[in-house]
Amino acid sequence: MSDDLRSAEFHFDSHPDTTFPGYTKGDTWNGWACPYFEREVAEEIADHYGEMHRYDNEEEYWAEYDSEEDIFLFHDTQGDKPRKFGPAEVEGRKLYPIGAYCWTWVEK
């Protein structure tokens, strides 16, 4: 693990053809990447999250951005409450650790 933030591309392990630009400090969780994203990219991930699960006919998966709390909410059928990802300040940048330490991200 490095203390320096660096740019990288990331994808869900199950969808390698769809990548998202983000940042990493080299952290991993069970061998998976723990990325940070700018808000615009986090919004793209939220859109993709719903589309990714519609492919599996699972329409109960969706994501939304709550501007009052400045968090992304990811809903699914596996839990009563959505997963929440708020911003983190990393090296002076406001970034969102969408899925860090809980999703299977791959760094390209």
Side-chain angles (χ1 to χ4, degrees):
M1 178 173 77
S2 168
D3 289 335
D4 295 327
L5 191 67
R6 62 178 171 77
S7 298
E9 291 284 324
F10 301 92
H11 65 80
F12 290 103
D13 71 317
S14 59
H15 291 82
D17 293 335
T18 304
T19 62
F20 301 96
Y23 301 92
T24 182
K25 291 178 89 175
D27 294 350
T28 60
W29 166 78
N30 291 334
W32 302 105
C34 296
Y36 298 91
F37 302 98
E38 293 179 350
R39 182 171 158 201
E40 295 78 20
V41 177
E43 290 171 354
E44 291 175 26
I45 295 166
D47 290 342
H48 182 69
Y49 179 79
E51 293 301 315
M52 178 172 68
H53 288 285
R54 274 193 257 305
Y55 175 79
D56 296 328
N57 296 320
E58 298 173 343
E59 295 183 14
E60 293 85 15
Y61 286 70
W62 76 97
E64 61 186 324
Y65 175 71
D66 181 333
S67 61
E68 286 184 25
E69 291 192 47
D70 192 20
I71 59 172
F72 285 87
L73 303 162
F74 287 79
H75 304 268
D76 64 47
T77 58
Q78 298 174 12
D80 294 334
K81 296 181 180 180
R83 288 189 185 250
K84 297 178 180 182
F85 300 102
E89 186 172 321
V90 183
E91 294 186 8
R93 297 176 191 225
K94 182 178 176 181
L95 301 172
Y96 295 81
I98 305 293
Y101 300 97
C102 60
W103 290 356
T104 53
W105 283 110
V106 176
E107 182 181 342
K108 252 188 144 160

